[in-house]
Amino acid sequence: MSLTAPLHGVVPPVCTPLDDRGEVDTASLTRLVGHLVDGGVHGLFALGSTSEVAYLTDARRATALETVVTAAAGRVPVLAGVIDTTTARVTEHARTAMELGADALVATAPFYTRTHPKEVAGHFRRLRATVDLPLFAYDIPVAVHSKLSPALVRELAEDGTLAGLKDSSGDEGGLRRLIVELGGREGRADGPVPHFSVLTGSELTVDAALLAGADGVVPGIGNVDPAGYVRLYDAARAGDWALASREQERLVELFAMVDVGPEQDMGRSSSALGAFKAALQLLGVIDNGATAFPQLPLSAESVALVRERLHGAGLPPVR
Amino acid sequence: MSLTAPLHGVVPPVCTPLDDRGEVDTASLTRLVGHLVDGGVHGLFALGSTSEVAYLTDARRATALETVVTAAAGRVPVLAGVIDTTTARVTEHARTAMELGADALVATAPFYTRTHPKEVAGHFRRLRATVDLPLFAYDIPVAVHSKLSPALVRELAEDGTLAGLKDSSGDEGGLRRLIVELGGREGRADGPVPHFSVLTGSELTVDAALLAGADGVVPGIGNVDPAGYVRLYDAARAGDWALASREQERLVELFAMVDVGPEQDMGRSSSALGAFKAALQLLGVIDNGATAFPQLPLSAESVALVRERLHGAGLPPVR
Amino acid sequence: MSLTAPLHGVVPPVCTPLDDRGEVDTASLTRLVGHLVDGGVHGLFALGSTSEVAYLTDARRATALETVVTAAAGRVPVLAGVIDTTTARVTEHARTAMELGADALVATAPFYTRTHPKEVAGHFRRLRATVDLPLFAYDIPVAVHSKLSPALVRELAEDGTLAGLKDSSGDEGGLRRLIVELGGREGRADGPVPHFSVLTGSELTVDAALLAGADGVVPGIGNVDPAGYVRLYDAARAGDWALASREQERLVELFAMVDVGPEQDMGRSSSALGAFKAALQLLGVIDNGATAFPQLPLSAESVALVRERLHGAGLPPVR
Amino acid sequence: MSLTAPLHGVVPPVCTPLDDRGEVDTASLTRLVGHLVDGGVHGLFALGSTSEVAYLTDARRATALETVVTAAAGRVPVLAGVIDTTTARVTEHARTAMELGADALVATAPFYTRTHPKEVAGHFRRLRATVDLPLFAYDIPVAVHSKLSPALVRELAEDGTLAGLKDSSGDEGGLRRLIVELGGREGRADGPVPHFSVLTGSELTVDAALLAGADGVVPGIGNVDPAGYVRLYDAARAGDWALASREQERLVELFAMVDVGPEQDMGRSSSALGAFKAALQLLGVIDNGATAFPQLPLSAESVALVRERLHGAGLPPVR
């Protein structure tokens, strides 16, 4: 499906289930897509950070994306992360993503190398000019160690380079300024910058982002509870902020599962992604909760804590 | 006045007007306090970062605090920043603040030196034990270069060391988790951790913070438009989130004045505090918009931009 | 050639000359290798940061490495950078590098993702176990945003995972501690940790690193003046520290060319790599000084400053 | 004594012995000064970071400085740290230091607040103009979170604002560039920038810094082994770099005492300063190894490790 309307709503970054050899478990991934679409999500983001894209070889990336596109079957749009260090490498991923049927691309600023706003602008423009799919900027300083300035995003929104922003910067004040400067909800729907979608990756403050005028959310823990985020989104759209806030609070408590892996023993990625995948396994959605090497596996105690969090949030495990 | 109830509402960090020699302009400061109290604020935070506390000698700090306490005249509580590198030095400021009539203290983690969560905990406990005033933790990593973890704040809330938190960390997700873990709005008012006030320093997302259950806000630009923040707070308390959000958007546009000083020419402190003070001068509240040395003064062009922002926000200058 | 002896001496990270379409200019690269080997260098590091590895597609990486190996023709060992985000992707590069005839591999810690020392250790061990070539750890926090601790390097040296370290961390004190803990010059040659090579990437303090017991240097500006670094190395080996220091000072002045691109206008990578390549073009070694997109090209004024630096260092341009 | 010649040699930052109530133990401090002067040091730096200046009230700072000046008795110059957030506060410390007999001042860039190079330049110039003592810039990004650029230091050296630099930035490459740009050893002694002293605070690479042309060193662990650093300095001055390097290696091993406090249990300041003071107590120089609150005390096991390090370095404890 093409992105005829501005992207909005709940667009989870789809986890990539793996088998014990690290290969993509396509049967589990197909079930996960079903779980998300059945939960009412409005789009799917494949090959994002939560998808462990940085851990997947090109062949595994292709398998994962193809599986998501096939399983989505046009019911919701599929965005594909094209994550690599610089323009030439990203462009190759973008071409592959288009061939595999992605509806839009999500790209970060260059990383590993030291860069500059003028170079970042050139990077997005070249990418947009080379591969003809809507392009979302992925602002994720924790991964790429530079921040997309609101001024740069605005410039690339106004000249049509970008179709939207996936903001994982955690800078909610900056995002608020950007939304106001782009003209607010009204301006973005019908103003000088039509069809620019602002999606927040800050999954603990989605009610706030929607109140501020964001179009949607890309919640990692939306893999585990897509219906919860859809309820939150619907409440916000209906103007029932008290209900939205209560749903958000339930999801905040569920989210605490990301801390099950003790900080001194494993990386934050191992702990958070391990928890999401353990939850999906406990819920019967995927077969194997393993994360990609060299991430460390959760201990049995940590998995037990994930189980508790699921119970606490009203999502009883089936295993 | 004493803090019998949990602190809530709009508690601006009071700017410190200076004369050309860098001395505290007590007449202007007295007028500024009047401007704020007339605007309906619920408390005053003297000697905070926005008060240029880091630029004031001990004598000037005392003059500023004494002036604020006298001008407030018990109508609203006065919190006093006790900002210094480590416990012994902070304690001296705390004793002075108590003598001068402050109703509560606001202290950061140690800075300049490298510290540790166990040392930070000891710091706050010793301070609370030594000077008998309610103590607020001031989480401001941009100044002290360490972050108060939610776990530490919770521990110090539960054992009664802290009466509240002034959060200027910008970590809205972490703040949301803290509020949920402390028991939410209800829990804080009537639960195991009574009287713990969460105040956000993120002045661009106050509607969001209040929706999340924060008790109040400490907005730097509240010096310029206290009544605006009070309207925002009142709308939120009344559950009129659409109105709160619109008021916030107006304040976001007003806030853009902090960027009038070009980044390559001056520090962020010079630009933001210079803009606030220029606005207060243009509004006829204070006599002199100068910031403390070695901050750089705004150019005439920059002041003209401040003037535009005031007009845009419906706050016409009188000069 | 195989690495039968511990790697030592001057091992420049070989620049990758490009044509106007961004393809590897193999004729220029072959001439550059000749320039370096004729200058007396002791090894070549292909596909490092200075080689713009992060900008090269896999096909271009292969072309560059193959060209360097062929041109080196066994006269000096060729180390190949295998730079990618995590283990599975790095392993694919490592297999290719072995097939193309590299004598050793140089790998960083995982990047883009958040990691942990235990995961970093697993990463290097898996890599060493999978591809049978000597493995060097590349400590470059400015690119990967984590630092290899001396304790971790020591552990991986002692268990035979690592053949050496390329230290671009800038932490000279930490490097000194590591060298002392590994047993000093003598210990490394004939002690419990034989054949562990410490190479510094800090090209402005090579005399100091050699005095401290480092085995060699990987100097980016060694592309421009390989003979200068070889003279510096030889003087140090001969114990003539006054001569080594004077040669280093001349190279410090030459190195100032990295600042020709004004900071507000381009990234540090554009400026430094652009200067090296401009110098190589001016010296007649390569045909085209272009850097890879989206790096910005040097202005004519900047190139003129490079020309001055070459004259100042006694390296008269031929163009 | 006045600083008639450029400062050079070994200038330890003098530890501040404390009693159990946190008061300055003047008898121990007097003995420590004797230990240092007897060890052959060329100057004393009171009220530096290693002196725990950030932990001392103004009264305790005055006591410490007065004691050091009295005990030095004109045998070596005394530099006084004037460490505070901004110019007005630093100026007050500077006036006190002059009254108490300091021979020179050591000041950092402003901290706590966000600053700018133009403001930093104004800060040092105002300070130099206000208090008539030679002024050293203290570049310590780990404490103040900004770096003095070589260009700024050079500007302030050339206009006579600064008499020297105490470099604790760890950026040895940048320091090398500065020394070369200032004209090298010869230039500084007899060139356009006379009497500018470059002192390194990187105590693990002093041989390297002296080889590069630095004038001296400010070594924290020089409190414990002043004679060792003097031997290192003398060897370097005599051109015996092999001897200098061996002495440095012994001191590197001694320095490892800073790690005795486990990282997860205490701050780096507690561990390093606690080790220095424990060593001084074990050597019989001071009575009490306590560090200032809220730093944590070393455990008995940690003190035992300090004892081992002393034995290993040929400095047998007397207690």
Side-chain angles (χ1 to χ4, degrees), chain D residues 20-76:
Chain D
D20 283 334
R21 292 166 306 125
E23 297 297 334
V24 179
D25 172 355
T26 56
S28 287
L29 181 50
T30 298
R31 279 200 303 277
L32 174 56
V33 169
H35 170 67
L36 298 173
V37 174
D38 291 351
V41 305
H42 306 79
L44 297 168
F45 174 28
L47 302 182
S49 306
T50 299
S51 316
E52 298 174 86
V53 65
Y55 296 90
L56 301 177
T57 61
D58 287 355
R60 290 168 182 167
R61 289 187 186 196
T63 301
L65 178 55
E66 198 165 20
T67 304
V68 171
V69 168
T70 302
R75 291 175 291 173
V76 294

Side-chain angles (χ1 to χ4, degrees), chain B residues 49 54-56 58 61 84-87 89 92 112-113 116 119 122 126 143 145 264 266-267 269-270 293-294, chain D residues 49 54-58 61 84-87 89 92 112-113 116 119 122 126 143 145 264 266-267 269-270 293-294:
Chain B
S49 305
Y55 296 91
L56 302 177
D58 287 355
R61 289 186 186 196
D84 216 314
T85 47
T86 61
T87 318
R89 296 182 65 84
E92 293 198 340
Y112 185 87
T113 186
H116 186 277
E119 296 174 359
R126 172 78 60 98
H145 300 279
Q264 65 271 31
M266 57 171 61
S269 173
S270 300
F293 187 84
Chain D
S49 306
Y55 296 90
L56 301 177
T57 61
D58 287 355
R61 289 187 186 196
D84 217 314
T85 48
T86 62
T87 318
R89 295 182 65 84
E92 294 199 339
Y112 185 88
T113 186
H116 186 276
E119 296 173 358
R126 173 76 61 95
H145 300 279
Q264 65 271 33
M266 57 171 61
S269 173
S270 300
F293 188 85

Side-chain angles (χ1 to χ4, degrees), chain D residues 207-266:
Chain D
D207 51 351
L210 295 172
L211 180 61
D215 298 283
V217 57
V218 185
I221 202 164
N223 281 277
V224 179
D225 190 8
Y229 275 99
V230 171
R231 281 194 299 273
L232 163 48
Y233 179 75
D234 289 344
R237 280 298 91 112
D240 189 345
W241 296 103
L243 178 60
S245 177
R246 279 199 305 275
E247 190 64 35
Q248 178 69 79
E249 284 168 16
R250 193 184 58 82
L251 290 162
V252 167
E253 291 186 338
L254 180 65
F255 183 81
M257 71 169 60
V258 302
D259 292 332
V260 296
E263 210 167 316
Q264 65 271 33
D265 285 345
M266 57 171 61

Side-chain angles (χ1 to χ4, degrees), chain C residues 14-146:
Chain C
V14 186
C15 284
T16 308
L18 301 172
D19 65 22
D20 283 335
R21 293 167 303 124
E23 298 297 333
V24 179
D25 172 355
T26 56
S28 286
L29 181 49
T30 297
R31 279 199 303 278
L32 174 55
V33 169
H35 171 67
L36 298 173
V37 173
D38 291 351
V41 303
H42 305 80
L44 298 167
F45 174 28
L47 303 182
S49 305
T50 299
S51 317
E52 297 173 87
V53 65
Y55 296 92
L56 301 178
T57 61
D58 287 354
R60 289 167 183 166
R61 289 187 185 195
T63 301
L65 178 55
E66 197 164 21
T67 303
V68 171
V69 168
T70 301
R75 291 175 291 173
V76 294
V78 175
L79 287 71
V82 287
I83 308 301
D84 216 313
T85 47
T86 60
T87 318
R89 295 182 66 84
V90 172
T91 301
E92 293 199 339
H93 296 298
R95 289 205 172 102
T96 302
M98 189 163 68
E99 285 163 16
L100 294 174
D103 298 300
L105 305 174
V106 185
T108 70
F111 55 92
Y112 184 87
T113 186
R114 285 172 291 176
T115 189
H116 186 276
K118 290 185 189 178
E119 296 174 358
V120 176
H123 170 73
F124 283 117
R125 288 195 176 112
R126 172 77 60 95
L127 196 54
R128 182 66 189 87
T130 308
V131 182
D132 190 20
L133 280 178
L135 177 62
F136 287 74
Y138 190 175
D139 193 19
I140 184 163
V142 73
V144 306
H145 300 277
S146 70

Side-chain angles (χ1 to χ4, degrees), chain B residues 4 8-9 25 43 46 64 94 101 141 149 161-162 168 177 186 201 216-217 262 309 313:
Chain B
T4 50
H8 68 277
D25 173 354
S149 75
T161 300
L162 295 178
S168 295
R177 288 192 68 177
E186 295 72 20
V217 57
R309 287 283 167 192

